[in-house]
Amino acid sequence: MEKLGITHYHELTKHHFDHYARSLGYMDWETQPIPFRFYENTNRVALSLLKQDPKATVSELFTRRVFDKRRIGLEVISGILELSMGLSAWKSTAQSRWSLRMNPSSGNLHPTETHVLIPNADGLSSGMYHYNPFLHALELRATFPDELSEKLYKLLGGEGCYIAFTSIFWRESWKYGERAYRYCNHDVGHAVAAVSFAANLFGLRLAALCELSTDQQKNVLGFDKITWPEMDEEHPDLICSIVPNQVPRDAINKGIPHDIISAISELDFVGDPNPLSASHHRWEAIDRAAKLAHKPHIVADNFSYQRPLKIAFHDDAMGFSGAAVIRKRRSAVDFHQKKSVIEKREFFTCLARTVAVENTAPFDVEIGTSSQVHLLIFVHNVRGLSQGLYFLCRNQDHFEEIRRLSKKDFSWEEKDGNLPLYGLAYGDLRKEAEIISCHQAIAGESAFSLGMIARFAPHITSNEYRYPELFWEAGMIGQILYLEAEAHGLRGTGIGCFFDDPVHSGILGVENVAYQSLYHFTVGYPLEDTRLQTLAPYEHLAHKK
Ligand SMILES: Cc1cc2nc3c(=O)[nH]c(=O)nc-3n(C[C@H](O)[C@H](O)[C@H](O)COP(=O)(O)O)c2cc1C
């Protein structure tokens, strides 16, 4: 079975018009996982909430500014975590109450956890900590001896820390069954972009340690020493460094030397991860997929960026600050169809922000070797553009191949000399957009919706560990679109439920597995659910002060 490879997992977990990917098919409330991980029996360091958000515009979320040399202290680390992985609100009805976070998550299930490795920061002892977003606190899992702190500090170039992203598959598979591994990886992408933007507000950049294998990450995180509650374990996805913006991207290490990994793995780790459910349903397809996508140690290639775009960006027109759009980001559950309209220049801004250009957040985190994901866009209501099907080619190297493989009657009409956006076919595609997104009205009632089309085989078949990376890239695009939508007074929603083959074969016309649809997104004017009450994100801690 294992020989079948990761593409088998992908095929197995497609939604088709006549059947959905396998899941329980009902909500088993008895086994609903706790949405928060606690490392019990650790020293907890309570973090302060920001008294004032960093002053930066929306466009400054993307561009890199160099600040005066500033120490990465407790305050900065706390601010980054609050504005990326922290809570953003509580919602309640008469019957129930649930929290929302700065980062979105499929089904609001939040499988992504973060850990920080801090060698030297004002106000904090050197060590490895788990970030607990419910308490907005760091849980100390291991203390670094001076010698190790010194080595890590030097490796970071004299200033910085590391952050690790991990996934608890069960949180997501509880509801979504076998397809959940995809969603966990989308969520990692959202989280990586969220941390990249938040760090940039403090003059810091996020850079992937893409040479580390999955096993090395396990060692670094001390996961091989933990006795996990059954099926509640965390899977290591990615470790990144966080360093000042003035450090050139190509001067940042992409790995950690073996002697340092060994020294970390020999530390005394403490903390007992809390059990999340009383019992579980095992989805073996997910365990198999994670095993197949196990990453070996690699020597990383240089990341190839796209040429800078010569377009005028309009994301500051409404005057929101970067932190304000992060805080008000929400998923729309319903759109006002008539008010769901966007100006062409704003639409172009949203698209241009998704192109990976050097020295620009979030793609200068540098995952993989180049952009692999393109946007197949349903334009419903963009003032100044005809309704229809468009294509944003995020990597020019793929353009000829996609054009050759897709429908022969597409016009591939260039829409702006400075943006790789092409008109393919014109007409009202609201119904089609809705149908292929599992009949969700939000895909048709918006200003625009889109499918993310990834270069798939042989890219994936020869390097199966690249499979999750495609979903991370898609998630990062989603995070950009969420923030851009807010900046333009609109709202977005990630769409994980779509019928796979009808998108890339039925609509784009690519019949084989060379390109596959991985994630959908929609942007429009939100209709609020006025029955819900909204509470402050940390009001549950207020009484403890
Ligand atoms: C990967 C992913 C897939 C999602 N899929 C859907 C979807 O198919 N339909 C939908 O209405 N919302 C979808 N959402 C939105 C989530 O339900 C939403 O993020 C979650 O409820 C948290 O709410 P918030 O985004 O307002 O914080 C998705 C979000 C993510 C990140």
Side-chain angles (χ1 to χ4, degrees):
M1 193 66 169
E2 214 157 281
K3 296 264 178 314
L4 290 170
I6 201 76
T7 51
H8 176 256
Y9 169 79
H10 191 69
E11 287 299 322
L12 186 75
T13 54
K14 282 180 171 174
H15 287 329
H16 298 274
F17 282 140
D18 59 354
H19 68 274
Y20 285 84
R22 223 164 3 200
S23 69
L24 276 190
Y26 62 93
M27 306 286 266
D28 181 6
W29 297 113
E30 294 290 305
T31 61
Q32 185 183 18
I34 296 169
F36 296 104
R37 164 120 290 162
F38 291 80
Y39 277 82
E40 303 295 2
N41 304 316
T42 52
N43 281 336
R44 288 207 175 105
V45 182
L47 302 175
S48 315
L49 297 170
L50 284 164
K51 290 195 181 63
Q52 202 178 21
D53 282 338
K55 286 191 177 31
T57 59
V58 174
S59 54
E60 285 167 342
L61 288 173
F62 298 92
T63 52
R64 299 257 168 232
R65 290 176 302 154
V66 171
F67 287 25
D68 289 345
K69 190 109 175 88
R70 146 150 64 166
R71 296 269 309 136
I72 297 184
L74 185 57
E75 222 176 286
V76 168
I77 290 167
S78 165
I80 294 172
L81 291 169
E82 181 186 345
L83 287 173
S84 56
M85 306 301 291
L87 302 191
S88 57
W90 285 90
K91 293 278 174 187
S92 73
T93 61
Q95 292 78 34
S96 62
R97 174 188 149 95
W98 62 97
S99 60
L100 296 177
R101 307 197 196 181
M102 303 289 176
N103 58 318
S105 169
S106 184
N108 201 25
L109 296 164
H110 289 284
T112 317
E113 296 289 327
T114 47
H115 301 252
V116 280
L117 287 78
I118 303 173
N120 187 330
D122 290 343
L124 206 57
S125 44
S126 310
M128 176 168 334
Y129 299 81
H130 168 251
Y131 175 57
N132 179 323
F134 179 81
L135 298 173
H136 189 48
L138 290 175
E139 298 168 330
L140 180 61
R141 298 183 47 231
T143 302
F144 296 156
D146 291 347
E147 199 189 335
L148 177 59
S149 294
E150 194 57 34
K151 281 186 177 169
L152 286 170
Y153 190 60
K154 276 200 187 129
L155 193 65
L156 284 160
E159 186 71 47
C161 64
Y162 295 99
I163 184 162
F165 299 87
T166 68
S167 297
I168 304 175
F169 300 142
W170 164 245
R171 282 235 181 90
E172 204 69 29
S173 65
W174 166 72
K175 181 171 178 190
Y176 294 112
E178 291 185 341
R179 198 169 159 101
Y181 178 67
R182 297 178 176 212
Y183 297 157
C184 288
N185 283 302
H186 284 132
D187 281 12
V188 170
H190 279 282
V192 167
V195 174
S196 172
F197 287 132
N200 199 20
L201 290 178
F202 294 91
L204 303 168
R205 64 163 89 225
L206 191 69
L209 297 182
C210 49
E211 298 196 337
L212 293 184
S213 67
T214 307
D215 285 338
Q216 286 175 318
Q217 293 184 54
K218 255 188 205 161
N219 288 337
V220 166
L221 289 163
F223 282 2
D224 46 343
K225 292 185 167 175
I226 293 180
T227 309
W228 295 102
E230 196 201 344
M231 278 192 68
D232 290 341
E233 71 266 24
E234 293 173 41
H235 175 272
D237 296 304
L238 179 69
I239 302 182
C240 295
S241 48
I242 299 181
V243 295
N245 277 344
Q246 48 265 61
V247 181
R249 183 60 185 82
D250 54 12
I252 304 171
N253 282 302
K254 294 181 175 178
I256 299 180
H258 288 292
D259 62 314
I260 300 187
I261 295 178
S262 304
I264 301 176
S265 69
E266 281 161 18
L267 296 173
D268 286 330
F269 285 89
V270 295
D272 304 311
N274 60 329
L276 304 178
S277 298
S279 65
H280 306 79
H281 183 100
R282 187 172 280 283
W283 296 98
E284 278 171 8
I286 292 187
D287 300 337
R288 270 202 311 272
K291 215 164 154 192
L292 287 163
H294 210 86
K295 187 166 179 287
H297 181 269
I298 59 160
V299 176
D301 289 332
N302 284 337
F303 188 87
S304 40
Y305 290 96
Q306 300 297 295
R307 264 182 287 121
L309 302 173
K310 293 195 198 102
I311 82 157
F313 290 95
H314 288 274
D315 24 28
D316 293 323
M318 295 191 80
F320 296 115
S321 73
V325 298
I326 289 175
R327 287 190 185 280
K328 74 191 183 82
R329 184 212 63 77
R330 297 281 184 281
S331 293
V333 288
D334 207 357
F335 287 129
H336 189 298
Q337 189 174 329
K338 286 221 169 69
K339 291 188 184 169
S340 287
V341 53
I342 187 167
E343 301 296 327
K344 185 165 99 173
R345 61 179 194 192
E346 293 171 346
F347 175 62
F348 281 8
T349 299
C350 294
L351 299 185
R353 288 300 188 196
T354 72
V355 177
V357 169
E358 203 160 1
N359 217 25
T360 304
F363 291 110
D364 62 357
V365 66
E366 295 191 353
I367 290 168
T369 52
S370 60
S371 303
Q372 303 294 330
V373 179
H374 305 279
L375 307 185
L376 180 65
I377 310 164
F378 301 88
V379 166
H380 301 316
N381 201 354
V382 176
R383 207 172 277 138
L385 270 191
S386 307
Q387 279 190 319
L389 192 64
Y390 291 72
F391 196 85
L392 182 82
C393 186
R394 291 182 63 255
N395 184 338
Q396 283 307 312
D397 293 346
H398 305 165
F399 179 77
E400 288 307 331
E401 184 182 51
I402 293 168
R403 193 173 170 158
R404 181 168 48 79
L405 293 175
S406 57
K407 286 184 184 166
K408 299 290 164 264
D409 56 351
F410 284 156
S411 57
W412 291 99
E413 193 184 348
E414 250 186 77
K415 285 292 149 190
D416 179 303
N418 298 311
L419 193 64
L421 178 69
Y422 304 89
L424 303 183
Y426 303 102
D428 185 348
L429 293 172
R430 286 174 188 281
K431 204 71 227 157
E432 284 81 352
E434 205 173 299
I435 291 170
I436 53 147
S437 283
C438 296
H439 309 279
Q440 299 187 72
I442 47 172
E445 292 177 346
S446 54
F448 67 95
S449 61
L450 54 88
M452 300 188 199
I453 308 290
R455 184 159 161 269
F456 202 73
H459 177 68
I460 289 309
T461 27
S462 52
N463 284 309
E464 299 196 305
Y465 69 88
R466 296 234 178 265
Y467 182 71
E469 291 179 0
L470 294 181
F471 288 86
W472 302 348
E473 186 179 337
M476 290 168 81
I477 296 171
Q479 191 66 14
I480 295 168
L481 294 173
Y482 264 118
L483 299 187
E484 278 292 314
E486 297 287 346
H488 299 298
L490 298 171
R491 182 144 288 171
T493 304
I495 299 184
C497 189
F498 56 86
F499 298 113
D500 298 64
D501 292 344
V503 186
H504 54 259
S505 84
I507 293 179
L508 186 59
V510 178
E511 294 296 346
N512 55 26
V513 286
Y515 289 86
Q516 297 280 292
S517 170
L518 296 192
Y519 189 24
H520 284 201
F521 206 89
T522 186
V523 172
Y525 187 90
L527 282 172
E528 303 288 350
D529 188 341
T530 51
R531 294 165 303 177
L532 300 184
Q533 200 194 347
T534 304
L535 303 164
Y538 284 100
E539 63 91 38
H540 60 292
L541 300 184
H543 67 279
K544 292 196 173 165
K545 294 225 169 105

